[in-house]
Amino acid sequence: MAEWHWNPSPMTCSTGCPPAALATVRQVAGELTVRESMIFLDGREFTGKPPGLRTVQRGPLMLVYLTDVRGERVVIIQVNWID
């Protein structure tokens, strides 16, 4: 069973964002992690070409992220919050 997780890049607003932004980031990143674990079932055994940089938008939030399939994680690269 895969142990997928997500983590922010040190450059994201993991501490300096408004509370609403942080809550939305946690929710969306959690959903992305579940989705990616269901798409890339092989996890660490994956041998294909990994997906590139992608974005997702939810209301005032836009995340830029990478899926590290072999690392079984979603890495949040950039957080944009337009209030």
Side-chain angles (χ1 to χ4, degrees):
M1 176 92 175
E3 295 294 329
W4 282 77
H5 63 283
W6 70 273
N7 63 301
S9 164
M11 304 297 265
T12 62
C13 72
S14 58
T15 57
C17 286
L22 290 175
T24 307
V25 167
R26 286 185 190 104
Q27 178 183 353
V28 172
E31 292 170 4
L32 288 172
T33 302
V34 169
R35 184 187 75 193
E36 298 299 274
S37 72
M38 292 167 60
I39 292 171
F40 299 104
L41 296 173
D42 293 340
R44 296 185 190 284
E45 308 304 317
F46 181 74
T47 58
K49 182 178 178 185
L53 197 63
R54 296 181 283 167
T55 62
V56 63
Q57 292 181 288
R58 174 95 41 94
L61 174 73
M62 183 181 85
L63 291 180
V64 179
Y65 69 98
L66 285 170
T67 300
D68 175 11
V69 179
R70 291 177 197 92
E72 296 180 339
R73 66 184 179 148
V74 172
V75 180
I76 307 300
I77 303 295
Q78 182 178 350
V79 175
N80 295 313
W81 182 263
I82 309 297
D83 209 11

